Amino acid sequence: MNEIICPNCKKAFKVDEAGFADIVKQVRDHQFQEELENRLNLAEKEKENAVKLAEANLRNSLQDILSKKDQELLEVKAKNEQQLTEKLTNKETEIAQIKAKLDNAELEKKISVTEAVQKIEKERDALANDVKTKELEKQNLESSLKQQFSTELQAVKDIVKYKDEEIARVKDMKAKLSTKMIGESLEQHCELEFNKLRPIAFQKAYFEKDNDARSGSKGDYIYRENDEHGNEIISIMFEMKNESDTTATKKRNEDFLKELDKDRTEKKCEYAILVSLLESDNELYNTGIIDISHRHPKMFVVRPQFFIQIITLLRNAALNSMQYKAELALVKSQDVDITNFEEKMNKFKEGFARNYDLASRKLNDAIEGIDKTIKELEKTKAALLSSENNLRLANEKTDDLTIKKLTYNNPTMKAKFDEL
């Protein structure tokens, strides 16, 4: 509906699209008729002005000529009649020529007016044809738009009808399902989604139902994954919760978090995830993946559509942490290398001290043997030789002690000494 204000009474009234199009057509036709009449009147006025101007110019030129001729006649009058007769003849000839020019001007005027009228009539016919063409295009466009709108409207009605039927069918199905069956349908959905991607992304993963209820409770599913060396990459305890729309007592996600954390701890899982359709109107849980580690460590609440995404995120983070674990193991092995180096140093010190102690004892024995009898000289000599040999061995061990030998089969200490 379009609102139109009357220019006389200043009152507003509404018309439909057909009435509004009729009013617009009347206004356009009226404007076209007025413009056509204005152009015809203007051409008629221009024609009259052109005729009047031509007549005035001819009269002025004729009067000028007549005045000049009269003056010439008065001047020649005194001379001779022959010249007067010739001039009169010339004058009559010129008058005839002027009259002929006037007749030609009138004829040219009529021709120009006729051409102007024909031109304006052609423009009028062209404008009329354009108006008819525009009207036809408008009608065709209106009919096509109406048909398209009706088709789209019917399609929307069909979609709405189908959705209403589907909603009614789902509500009826949920009303017929028991609470256990509703929960199992969510578990089957998650298991199906995981099995779709198992051959591609989770070939080495373990994802099975938790059947161990020895502690009095159990979760729904356990996810575990190890690397090629048998080291655990990640482990997750899953709990799936759903309920019927017609359930009288509505459960909350918070009611299941404590029990889920207990199951995660007992089954020695790193993470705990609640996949829930509860509290469907809660904007917090509808935003995506909710981290509730402030309530229970390493715990998340997600909607079913984020089931695969949360596994992927946690798995990728765990794979990245494996690199840091490997670096930590390398640091521990370096500590072992340093310990081995210290043990070698201690063994060397103990061996050197033992050799030095033996040499000192032998030397004391030799000094004491000098004060004894000659018979003891051979024994003293042997003791001295033995002492010298031990000192030589100790000296050789000292000379033979090099950084290269100490760092042999010990890459950590070799790198440390090279760095120094």
Side-chain angles (χ1 to χ4, degrees):
M1 299 298 288
N2 297 289
E3 187 175 278
I4 299 176
I5 298 175
C6 179
N8 295 325
C9 61
K10 305 300 181 180
K11 291 184 179 180
F13 61 95
K14 294 184 178 180
V15 294
D16 56 6
E17 292 184 357
F20 182 79
D22 188 33
I23 292 173
V24 171
K25 183 177 181 304
Q26 292 178 14
V27 171
R28 288 180 179 174
D29 293 343
H30 182 68
Q31 290 178 348
F32 174 77
Q33 192 64 30
E34 286 184 351
E35 185 179 357
L36 183 60
E37 291 177 359
N38 291 333
R39 288 194 180 185
L40 290 174
N41 294 331
L42 182 62
E44 188 66 26
K45 289 180 180 179
E46 288 178 355
K47 179 186 74 173
E48 292 176 358
N49 292 332
V51 172
K52 290 179 180 179
L53 181 61
E55 290 177 351
N57 291 333
L58 289 174
R59 287 194 189 95
N60 291 331
S61 63
L62 183 59
Q63 288 177 359
D64 292 337
I65 293 171
L66 289 174
S67 61
K68 288 180 181 180
K69 294 302 178 181
D70 290 337
Q71 185 67 28
E72 289 176 357
L73 288 173
L74 291 174
E75 291 176 355
V76 177
K77 204 173 190 181
K79 292 182 179 180
N80 50 45
E81 290 294 335
Q82 185 178 0
Q83 292 179 350
L84 181 59
T85 304
E86 291 177 354
K87 287 182 179 180
L88 288 173
T89 304
N90 292 333
K91 181 179 178 182
E92 290 176 353
T93 304
E94 289 178 356
I95 290 172
Q97 292 177 352
I98 290 171
K99 287 182 178 180
K101 287 182 179 179
L102 287 173
D103 295 336
N104 291 332
E106 184 68 21
L107 181 61
E108 289 177 357
K109 179 186 70 174
K110 291 180 179 180
I111 293 172
S112 62
V113 169
T114 303
E115 290 177 351
V117 171
Q118 291 177 351
K119 183 178 179 181
I120 291 173
E121 288 178 348
K122 288 181 179 179
E123 291 179 355
R124 180 195 64 190
D125 296 338
L127 288 173
N129 291 330
D130 289 340
V131 170
K132 290 180 180 179
T133 303
K134 295 295 182 183
E135 287 294 332
L136 291 174
E137 291 178 355
K138 177 185 174 184
Q139 292 176 1
N140 293 333
L141 181 60
E142 287 178 352
S143 61
S144 62
L145 288 175
K146 286 180 180 179
Q147 184 177 1
Q148 182 180 359
F149 176 75
S150 61
T151 303
E152 293 178 354
L153 182 62
Q154 185 63 35
V156 170
K157 288 181 178 179
D158 294 340
I159 293 172
V160 171
K161 182 180 178 182
Y162 172 76
K163 287 187 176 180
D164 291 339
E165 292 176 352
E166 187 67 16
I167 291 170
R169 185 185 66 80
V170 172
K171 286 184 177 180
D172 182 65
M173 182 189 71
K174 285 189 174 183
K176 293 178 180 178
L177 289 175
S178 64
T179 304
K180 181 179 179 181
M181 290 178 66
I182 291 172
E184 289 178 352
S185 65
L186 178 58
E187 294 175 10
Q188 291 170 1
H189 166 75
C190 294
E191 185 176 1
L192 178 62
E193 291 298 316
F194 183 85
N195 288 332
K196 285 181 181 178
L197 295 176
R198 186 193 290 268
I200 302 173
F202 307 106
Q203 295 180 358
K204 299 180 180 179
Y206 169 87
F207 183 76
E208 301 294 340
K209 289 185 69 67
D210 180 17
N211 296 317
D212 185 4
R214 290 176 294 179
S215 61
S217 66
K218 63 183 182 66
D220 287 331
Y221 283 89
I222 294 178
Y223 172 89
R224 295 185 190 276
E225 186 171 356
N226 299 331
D227 62 7
E228 60 272 12
H229 303 295
N231 301 317
E232 184 176 279
I233 299 174
I234 188 174
S235 58
I236 306 172
M237 171 63 71
F238 283 100
E239 183 74 19
M240 286 75 171
K241 289 299 177 184
N242 191 8
E243 65 182 358
S244 173
D245 295 336
T246 59
T247 303
T249 304
K250 298 293 183 180
K251 297 290 185 179
R252 298 187 307 163
N253 292 317
E254 191 174 354
D255 300 336
F256 303 96
L257 301 182
K258 185 177 180 180
E259 189 70 21
L260 177 58
D261 183 61
K262 177 184 175 184
D263 294 336
R264 176 186 70 86
T265 305
E266 291 178 351
K267 303 302 168 55
K268 297 180 180 181
C269 293
E270 184 178 2
Y271 293 96
I273 298 175
L274 176 63
V275 183
S276 171
L277 284 172
L278 306 180
E279 300 182 67
S280 59
D281 297 332
N282 193 321
E283 291 298 329
L284 173 64
Y285 297 114
N286 291 334
T287 55
I289 298 173
I290 307 302
D291 183 1
I292 54 172
S293 299
H294 60 283
R295 299 287 303 277
H296 301 283
K298 295 187 176 182
M299 183 175 291
F300 300 88
V301 178
V302 300
R303 294 302 188 195
Q305 60 267 30
F306 298 103
F307 170 68
I308 296 298
Q309 286 84 337
I310 186 64
I311 296 177
T312 305
L313 288 173
L314 296 178
R315 179 173 177 266
N316 292 339
L319 288 174
N320 292 332
S321 68
M322 292 296 290
Q323 180 181 357
Y324 300 107
K325 291 179 180 178
E327 292 178 358
L328 180 60
L330 179 61
V331 171
K332 290 182 179 179
S333 66
Q334 291 175 354
D335 292 339
V336 174
D337 291 341
I338 294 173
T339 303
N340 294 333
F341 176 77
E342 291 177 351
E343 290 178 356
K344 289 182 179 180
M345 288 292 294
N346 292 330
K347 287 181 180 179
F348 168 75
K349 289 179 181 179
E350 291 174 358
F352 182 81
R354 185 171 58 254
N355 292 332
Y356 179 78
D357 184 58
L358 290 173
S360 297
R361 290 177 184 178
K362 294 296 182 181
L363 182 60
N364 291 330
D365 291 340
I367 293 174
E368 291 176 356
I370 292 173
D371 295 334
K372 293 182 180 180
T373 61
I374 302 280
K375 294 180 181 180
E376 296 292 331
L377 289 175
E378 292 295 334
K379 184 178 179 180
T380 302
K381 181 180 180 181
L384 288 172
L385 291 173
S386 177
S387 175
E388 182 183 4
N389 187 47
N390 286 322
L391 288 173
R392 180 181 57 79
L393 292 174
N395 187 50
E396 288 178 355
K397 289 183 178 180
T398 304
D399 293 338
D400 196 42
L401 180 63
T402 62
I403 299 299
K404 183 176 181 181
K405 290 184 177 181
L406 287 174
T407 58
Y408 180 71
N409 290 332
N410 193 337
T412 302
M413 292 308 301
K414 184 177 184 303
K416 296 292 183 182
F417 280 110
D418 292 339
E419 186 177 354
L420 291 173

